[in-house]
Amino acid sequence: MNRYSEKIDIGSLELKDQVVSINRVTKVVKGGKNLSFSALVVVGDSAGHVGYGMGKAREVSSAIKKGVEAAKKNIVRVPITSKGSTIPHTVTGRYGSGSVLLKPASEGTGVIAGGAVRAVITAAGIQNILTKSLGSTTAHNVVKATVDALTRLKQPERVARLRGKQISDIISDTRHRRSTMEQRPQAPKADAAAAPAAEAAPAETPTAVPETPPAAVPEG
């Protein structure tokens, strides 16, 4: 997440933390075993800001505290539409072997997500969205892939300014592209069962042969 150079003042944000997972780590040393805990934490203000961090310590509370401090240093801004409280467009995020697909949803759909993806989405403040986790199911990979997808989102105002167009032109082009894809004719599917039946020749019906009555034997 260091490649995103946007600076956000976290002092004015009301951040709430949520623990995603806690793992127990054992290190074998010469004198025995050292037990410690690692915590993956997600923070957000439910208004378009979210971040994640990981902390490690001998106690669970100390690990969570370190994770919260690390997450506050990695806060990113998420564009959320004013109508429907969803994302502007479909996007896919990847990290390692994990991949997460995010799709905008209409108002009233809710957050269709589970596990680590739901923790990130709810912390960001998105209320209507469709998600699908692909690939790895490890909590660390899923969280990082979800945040990567959120950072790939683009606001319509910024895209229109970069292209030198109006926002209405960008939205109309997107709707026209979607309608064109929906109206594209699809190739008819061949019926595998009907093809052999049509090629097979009809079987000939055998003709009935009339039976010849036995010849009469003359009486002696």
Side-chain angles (χ1 to χ4, degrees):
M1 295 180 60
N2 295 331
R3 60 192 178 100
Y4 307 107
S5 58
E6 183 181 2
K7 299 297 182 180
I8 300 175
D9 183 15
I10 63 175
S12 59
L13 304 178
E14 297 181 0
L15 299 175
K16 297 181 180 179
D17 59 273
Q18 181 177 356
V19 180
V20 178
S21 66
I22 297 177
N23 296 327
R24 186 177 64 178
V25 182
T26 303
K27 181 180 180 181
V28 180
V29 295
K30 184 177 181 180
K33 296 182 179 180
N34 292 338
L35 180 63
S36 60
F37 298 90
S38 64
L40 179 63
V41 185
V42 174
V43 299
D45 63 345
S46 300
H49 297 88
V50 67
Y52 70 90
M54 186 178 64
K56 186 177 180 181
R58 293 291 184 89
E59 298 179 358
V60 177
S61 58
S62 301
I64 295 176
K65 185 177 180 180
K66 288 184 179 180
V68 172
E69 296 297 329
K72 290 182 179 180
K73 299 178 182 179
N74 297 324
I75 297 293
V76 296
R77 192 186 309 274
V78 180
I80 302 177
T81 59
S82 57
K83 182 179 180 181
S85 297
T86 184
I87 56 178
H89 55 85
T90 304
V91 67
T92 303
R94 296 179 178 85
Y95 185 88
S97 59
S99 179
V100 176
L101 172 65
L102 306 181
K103 296 181 65 176
S106 58
E107 189 173 359
T109 303
V111 178
I112 309 301
V117 181
R118 173 177 285 271
V120 178
I121 296 299
T122 53
I126 302 174
Q127 300 179 5
N128 301 286
I129 193 173
L130 301 173
T131 67
K132 179 65 176 179
S133 179
L134 309 171
S136 175
T137 57
T138 306
H140 291 75
N141 289 345
V142 173
V143 168
K144 295 176 182 179
T146 306
V147 175
D148 179 69
L150 295 177
T151 54
R152 294 177 184 269
L153 293 174
K154 298 180 180 179
Q155 297 180 351
E157 297 82 1
R158 183 178 180 182
V159 176
R161 184 172 63 256
L162 294 176
R163 295 184 181 180
K165 297 183 178 181
Q166 300 294 332
I167 300 179
S168 58
D169 298 337
I170 300 296
I171 297 177
S172 61
D173 293 344
T174 305
R175 292 178 179 176
H176 176 71
R177 191 179 300 108
R178 290 179 180 177
S179 61
T180 304
M181 295 179 63
E182 293 175 356
Q183 296 176 3
R184 183 178 301 174
Q186 299 180 357
K189 298 181 180 180
D191 192 351
E199 296 177 359
E204 297 182 357
T205 305
T207 306
V209 180
E211 297 181 359
T212 304
V217 179
E219 297 179 359

